[in-house]
Amino acid sequence: MSAVLPEVDLTAFAAICLLVDPAGLGGAVVEGPADAARAGWLDAIRRALPGGTPWFRLPSGITDDRLLGGLDLTATLATGRPVAERGVLAAADQGFVVVPMAERAAANVAGALAAARDAGLVRVQRDGIAMESPARLAVLALDEHEGDEAPVAGALAARLAFRLSVPHSWADDAPVLPTGEELQQLRRTYADSALDEAATRALVGAAAAFGVDDIRAVLFAGRAARAIAALDERDVVQDDDLAHAVRLVLVPRATRMPEPEPPQDDAPPPPPPPSEPPPPPPDASDASPDEPTPEPGPEESLADQVVDAVLASLPPELLASLGARMERQRAGAAGRSGAVAKATARGRQVGTTPGLPRGGKRLDLLATLRTAAPWQRLRGATLVDGVRRLAIRAEDLRIRRLRQRIGTTVCFAVDASGSQALNRLGEAKGAIELLLAESYVRRDRVALVVFRGKTVEIALPPTRSLARAKRTLAGMPGGGGTPLASGLDAVGELALKVKREGGRPLVVLLTDGRANIARDGTGGRPRAEAEADVSARRFGSQALPALVVDTSPRPNPALAALAKLMGARYAPLPVVRADTLGAAVRAVMRSEPA
Amino acid sequence: MHALLLRPGPSGGNLGLDCKQVLTMQSVYPFGAIVGQEEMKLALLIAAVDPSVGGVMIFGDRGTGKSTVVRAMPALLPPMKAVKGCRYGCDPTAGARKCADCLLREEVGEKLVAMTTPVPVVDLPLGATEDRVAGALDLEKALTRGEKAFEPGLLARAHRGFLYVDEINLLEDHLVDLLLDVAVSGENVVEREGISVRHPARFVLVGSGNPEEGDLRPQLLDRFGLAVDVVTPLDLDLRCEIVRRRDAFERDPAAFVAHWSRADAKTRKSLVAARERLPDVQVPDAVLRRASELCVALGTDGLRGELTLLRAARAAAALAGIVTVTDAQMRDVAPLALRHRLRRDPLDDAGSTARVGRAIDDLYGARSA
């Protein structure tokens, strides 16, 4: 197979695939900062598209009625009949939707995009409007997450073929993409091309080798291979096309690296498979034994060949970064659940108030009509065609006041150090599990910060998924010193983040209070304790509801003092039993204003 | 953004004017063409034969074809008889259980005519608001004539059919409350915006979701009669077949659908036969006793597990063409009926299928076939 392709050409290939069949390939997750290179890539695609192709940029915080569609209130009031308004998704039919900061997209946005990708339609059932409109769109999700932040929702990313980052050369030296008649020709060749049996098996085999379970990925890879072949004016897919498609679609989704195959140069050529009649490609008639490439044996080995070629072409840094990504995915993938309600139009109605139904606020029709009713005569409401037309003014409009129950997020900070492990780690885990069970029923969220030795980590970001919580708890090791100051800082920050997003945090710190590691990782009890005091004061100044559970065999007065600095309740429990811990947490929750 | 004028049609209002043509072009992937997923197909067929089994909950990762199977149902199901002109599609043979409108029409001496209509499979899409789900004031009549009339919602449209909620674990709490209420009572009661309406709403609730992304409320999970665990097949040959078929479908949907219509017709016939056979299906005492032993061994909560197991086994027997339930049917349906009812801490749902499988093997012996 051919030699290594530069990254630029791969991103150009991705762009061309999207131009050829946007709805079929679904789009791309574009990772990296908002720089000139990324802008260059997006512009190049937009310029190459046929004129009139829809191209929309989704503002963050877009509300359901603008996204999905709903009642066009102005037109409704003007004409006197319900008039529906299509949303952005329907307007983007056969075009592109660009989602900046896609990693922060609200759950409803990611969900709506995923649903539109699946069905090719957007279904609307809201505010008295019921409609289905075609929405065969491609999504360009711009993922700007850094470091440990959560990436784009998995449910959305799975429905987009590519995941790439744009090399610098796109900033000022962008390749020219096919356009106009050339693009139309590409589309025609693509429509005529097909994957043969061998190619299908090769892609399925390659997906298995890279540990990609989602069948969609194989379908995307097939289409990408056909588009790449079309670029070469072929309607038959060849090995190189497959390799490029695997590199573009399957490698970014890899959950494992395939084992390297032993070199086959000295092995006798395997017998040709009887059940495989590949359609003779018109321009590859030279099946001569002098071909440098190994003879295609049983179907699996084409997959192996493709995988080998791809592995060979991967630059080493990329392999390393893939490895790191897989580690992060194993540590905790899964989409963001239970996105906190900002002031979006969700929840139960609890009242009505004057206002314009804009920005997600919903019209309270009955209250509006009731307000307008007494004024009809004065306003000269007339009979038109035997039907009485209502005269409604802006000041009559009433909107609904909604309330959504904001759940509590219980942020556990667990001291997993050696001293604690000696005492109570196992019991602490059990107690937390029982608290989780209660949270499950109440629909609260839980988060877990673990500190020991030189590390503090957010073992579990706020989640409602109990399966994840349990897995994380089970895998938590113990040992090392007690970096109490760092642990306090970390859980305080997490709680503030929850508060900023509109949730209600509650911190539960389980420790024996014997701090002996300072923030910079060095040992030494005096300094560690002094720093822990400082952290506690800072925590206390944030007014975060908290409970400190003292898990040492005899109550530690220093910890009681620390709790006071934190403004937290102190519960010295010589034996941390699940039910007593639960009662203590509930007491703290109750004492906080709802 | 150009506006679409909508007039709610007799069935509750649906498509915009220019959308209808496009939609008829979009074919649905046929039921019979779906590769594997036998458990999921069985669960849905059981629910179609005997809706009293309860809803079907489909747990699975994304990309496992959960919604494909459900969306294939409308084409598969045999049409049903409904009262002509009834907004809720009442069953003409339902007697006093018909809706208030139908009963009123009968009272004034009208003879209700029956017509054939497809079984409704209704989607509860993302972003649905309560007024569209439960039904609300008819906006058009209120605005234009100041008249108070009820516009039926999705629950009305789903009556005697299926209501499908994708990502049900992310559904808003107040909508979950609504679904639970209706599931229990079989009736939708609307008291809002000055209207007071009560209409029948008995449907099979089908939910799907990825448990990793959020858990179901225990009250909701309990409402589901059957639960399916879906995984993508790992067998390479099966995966190749999936890709091959998907490709063929996209290339020429009409031909693909036509090709599989025979298989679907066969399934449809066996469904009809199964429904007719169902009242005659018997469960021998020995089989029943072993099923109870299984439930006790697994520690299922209450008796609902056993009742569901029983109903599901009878439906499975009817589908298999026999009138006596055997242990084989119990083995097939036990995981479906019981995996979500094991008394456990809510943190331990990962192992339910395995636990049920082990208990089945213990009781019935390892499967020989």
Side-chain angles (χ1 to χ4, degrees):
Chain A
M1 297 191 197
S2 69
V4 177
L5 257 195
E7 280 296 307
V8 178
D9 287 359
L10 277 173
T11 32
F13 271 8
I16 293 170
C17 290
L18 291 175
L19 287 172
V20 168
D21 185 5
L25 284 156
V29 174
V30 184
E31 289 178 340
D35 57 8
R38 190 181 85 178
W41 192 75
L42 292 171
D43 274 341
I45 295 181
R46 189 173 186 180
R47 275 196 306 266
L49 285 169
T53 307
W55 181 280
F56 286 95
R57 212 172 174 96
L58 280 192
S60 70
I62 185 172
T63 49
D64 273 350
D65 60 325
R66 293 299 306 129
L67 185 66
L68 303 169
L71 190 69
D72 180 346
L73 190 63
T74 340
T76 301
L77 287 178
T79 60
R81 333 194 73 90
V83 177
E85 193 174 42
R86 285 192 315 170
V88 173
L89 293 184
D93 181 37
Q94 302 197 301
F96 284 77
V97 168
V98 179
V99 188
M101 291 199 292
E103 75 279 7
R104 290 178 186 278
N108 63 320
V109 172
L113 287 170
R117 282 284 324 131
D118 275 347
L121 312 159
V122 59
R123 295 181 173 91
V124 185
Q125 294 280 350
R126 41 184 310 114
D127 295 337
I129 296 298
M131 64 179 171
E132 286 186 354
S133 326
R136 291 152 298 190
L137 40 81
V139 176
L140 297 174
L142 308 181
D143 184 349
E144 292 165 30
H145 86 274
E146 280 175 25
D148 270 336
E149 290 175 2
V152 172
L156 180 57
R159 289 161 164 90
L160 312 181
F162 304 118
R163 198 172 304 181
L164 48 85
S165 42
V166 184
H168 294 300
S169 44
W170 283 83
D172 36 32
D173 189 20
V176 175
L177 300 178
T179 183
E181 176 53 36
E182 203 189 335
L183 181 57
Q184 294 309 317
Q185 179 55 42
L186 276 185
R187 286 181 173 177
R188 282 192 288 267
T189 314
Y190 172 80
D192 288 337
S193 72
L195 280 186
D196 64 10
E197 179 67 28
T200 307
R201 293 202 87 92
L203 287 178
V204 170
F210 281 104
V212 178
D213 280 343
D214 192 347
I215 284 281
R216 255 188 296 241
V218 177
L219 292 167
F220 285 144
R223 290 176 203 141
R226 283 167 51 210
I228 295 174
L231 197 56
D232 205 20
E233 293 170 22
R234 282 181 282 109
D235 59 5
V236 172
V237 167
Q238 288 175 353
D239 302 348
D240 276 358
D241 310 321
L242 294 174
H244 296 322
V246 167
R247 171 75 180 81
L248 275 172
V249 176
L250 297 181
V251 168
R253 293 169 152 83
T255 59
R256 63 162 177 263
M257 279 297 155
E259 276 92 52
E261 282 291 312
Q264 291 180 343
D265 324 50
D266 302 325
S275 58
E276 251 228 79
D283 51 350
S285 47
D286 46 340
S288 65
D290 298 329
E291 278 231 1
T293 52
E295 191 139 337
E299 297 93 54
E300 283 77 8
S301 81
L302 179 56
D304 291 339
Q305 287 175 57
V306 170
V307 167
D308 286 343
V310 170
L311 284 177
S313 76
L314 290 178
E317 326 78 74
L318 188 56
L319 269 173
S321 80
L322 275 178
R325 185 207 298 270
M326 286 190 289
E327 271 308 311
R328 274 206 305 276
Q329 282 179 345
R330 264 196 289 273
R336 220 168 311 146
S337 71
V340 183
K342 289 185 244 205
T344 52
R346 286 172 180 272
R348 286 220 128 94
Q349 179 168 357
V350 290
T352 186
T353 185
L356 290 175
R358 218 168 267 160
K361 300 205 177 51
R362 298 220 297 275
L363 177 73
D364 186 341
L365 182 65
L366 198 65
T368 304
L369 291 178
R370 281 213 187 101
T371 313
W375 301 99
Q376 295 309 301
R377 213 151 173 182
L378 273 175
R379 291 175 186 166
T382 51
L383 278 174
V384 176
D385 303 332
V387 169
R388 186 175 304 279
R389 288 286 304 278
L390 293 174
I392 299 183
R393 304 251 177 89
E395 57 261 25
D396 299 328
L397 292 178
R398 295 288 179 269
I399 50 176
R400 303 185 199 178
R401 265 202 347 233
L402 301 174
R403 180 179 56 112
Q404 184 166 0
R405 204 180 74 81
I406 305 248
T408 308
T409 302
V410 184
C411 305
F412 288 98
V414 180
D415 177 350
S417 68
S419 62
Q420 163 75 320
L422 231 46
N423 295 336
R424 295 277 116 80
L425 186 59
E427 291 173 27
K429 281 192 197 177
I432 295 175
E433 276 193 17
L434 260 163
L435 267 178
L436 288 178
E438 283 188 35
S439 305
Y440 167 64
V441 174
R442 269 199 310 263
R443 307 283 281 169
D444 293 332
R445 296 193 301 167
V446 295
L448 189 60
V449 171
V450 179
F451 56 95
R452 64 185 184 92
K454 296 206 176 71
T455 51
V456 177
E457 63 167 309
I458 301 185
L460 192 67
T463 180
R464 225 175 249 158
S465 170
L466 276 301
R468 283 185 72 195
K470 181 169 195 213
R471 269 208 310 278
T472 314
L473 272 181
M476 211 165 66
T482 310
L484 186 53
S486 312
L488 267 176
D489 290 342
V491 78
E493 250 185 63
L494 180 63
L496 279 177
K497 184 154 171 280
V498 167
K499 205 167 172 185
R500 267 199 307 271
E501 291 171 356
R504 258 200 336 219
L506 171 65
V507 171
V508 178
L509 172 64
L510 290 109
T511 179
D512 58 6
R514 298 188 189 291
N516 55 12
I517 299 218
R519 278 202 207 96
D520 59 3
T522 55
R525 197 172 286 282
R527 204 160 111 236
E529 285 182 348
E531 286 193 358
D533 272 2
V534 170
S535 292
R537 269 180 229 275
R538 196 184 312 147
F539 187 98
S541 70
Q542 318 274 24
L544 295 163
L547 168 69
V548 172
V549 178
D550 188 346
T551 58
S552 32
R554 277 188 307 278
N556 181 357
L559 190 52
L562 200 84
K564 202 151 174 208
L565 288 176
M566 283 168 66
R569 281 207 178 184
Y570 171 73
L573 297 173
V575 177
V576 171
R577 277 197 348 257
D579 46 354
T580 48
L581 182 59
V585 172
R586 263 176 267 127
V588 178
M589 276 195 209
R590 268 201 301 274
S591 68
E592 298 304 317
Chain B
M1 208 117 332
H2 85 265
L4 290 171
L5 273 173
L6 287 182
R7 272 166 200 68
S11 60
N14 234 321
L15 306 165
L17 298 173
D18 57 321
C19 297
K20 213 171 203 156
Q21 298 96 324
V22 181
L23 273 173
T24 51
M25 279 166 25
Q26 285 184 340
S27 307
V28 176
Y29 197 84
F31 190 86
I34 294 166
V35 176
Q37 308 302 2
E38 296 308 325
E39 221 190 26
M40 184 161 44
K41 289 193 213 166
L42 177 64
L44 288 171
L45 287 174
I46 288 178
V49 168
D50 184 2
S52 72
V53 165
V56 179
M57 178 64 205
I58 307 176
F59 291 111
D61 252 338
R62 58 189 84 99
T64 44
K66 303 190 287 283
S67 48
T68 312
V69 179
V70 181
R71 299 200 199 285
M73 294 294 281
L76 178 74
L77 297 168
M80 66 182 192
K81 284 234 173 346
V83 172
K84 194 166 184 186
C86 174
R87 290 200 286 188
Y88 311 109
C90 280
D91 185 355
T93 64
R97 294 213 311 169
K98 291 204 278 285
C99 68
D101 294 345
C102 287
L103 291 174
L104 194 63
R105 282 159 73 186
E106 277 184 332
E107 237 174 274
V108 297
E110 184 184 332
K111 185 145 188 337
L112 299 176
V113 178
M115 64 171 190
T116 311
T117 186
V119 172
V121 177
V122 173
D123 237 344
L124 201 143
L126 276 167
T129 50
E130 197 169 332
D131 58 305
R132 283 303 308 156
V133 176
L137 194 64
D138 185 327
L139 203 59
E140 178 170 5
K141 294 202 181 101
L143 279 177
T144 57
R145 289 189 279 245
E147 231 176 67
K148 211 164 65 171
F150 177 62
E151 163 142 31
L154 295 177
L155 294 179
R157 280 214 288 138
H159 179 50
R160 298 180 67 204
F162 292 72
L163 180 68
Y164 176 51
V165 187
D166 196 8
E167 310 262 16
I168 193 169
N169 45 347
L170 301 180
L171 190 64
E172 294 174 44
D173 281 343
H174 66 288
L175 288 178
V176 172
D177 290 340
L178 180 58
L179 287 181
L180 284 176
D181 211 357
V182 174
V184 169
S185 59
E187 248 189 351
N188 180 23
V189 179
V190 183
E191 302 275 2
R192 56 189 288 142
E193 294 168 354
I195 15 179
S196 174
V197 166
R198 177 184 295 258
H199 69 78
R202 289 180 297 275
F203 48 81
V204 175
L205 180 63
V206 181
S208 71
N210 184 349
E212 290 280 303
E213 288 176 17
D215 293 298
L216 281 181
R217 258 160 62 178
Q219 303 94 318
L220 182 58
L221 185 58
D222 200 41
R223 275 292 128 206
F224 286 104
L226 307 175
V228 185
D229 247 339
V230 162
V231 284
T232 334
L234 292 177
D235 175 73
L236 290 188
D237 286 326
L238 275 182
R239 289 167 74 90
C240 282
E241 185 61 27
I242 294 176
V243 174
R244 227 175 280 132
R245 288 193 194 178
R246 191 80 225 182
D247 213 34
F249 172 68
E250 273 159 27
R251 217 161 270 290
D252 190 351
F256 190 81
V257 169
H259 175 82
W260 285 96
S261 60
R262 245 198 328 186
D264 275 4
K266 229 172 118 196
T267 314
R268 195 178 306 128
K269 269 209 280 248
S270 77
L271 250 182
V272 173
R275 282 179 184 162
E276 286 171 19
R277 200 176 286 126
L278 187 65
D280 300 326
V281 174
Q282 307 282 1
V283 187
D285 281 343
V287 174
L288 193 54
R289 160 164 273 137
R290 268 194 292 277
S292 292
E293 280 175 35
L294 181 63
C295 291
V296 169
L298 282 170
T300 56
D301 282 331
L303 284 176
R304 199 180 285 152
E306 280 172 67
L307 281 173
T308 311
L309 183 54
L310 188 59
R311 288 194 183 122
R314 291 181 64 225
L319 277 167
I322 56 180
V323 289
T324 311
V325 175
T326 66
D327 284 341
Q329 274 78 50
M330 287 295 176
R331 291 186 78 119
D332 283 339
V333 306
L336 290 175
L338 300 179
R339 63 161 53 90
H340 57 304
R341 299 188 199 279
L342 306 184
R343 193 183 308 127
R344 52 172 171 60
D345 62 297
L347 303 174
D348 183 25
D349 50 23
S352 325
T353 306
R355 276 172 66 189
V356 177
R358 270 200 305 273
I360 291 177
D361 282 343
D362 284 344
L363 188 63
Y364 294 102
R367 197 184 272 267
S368 45

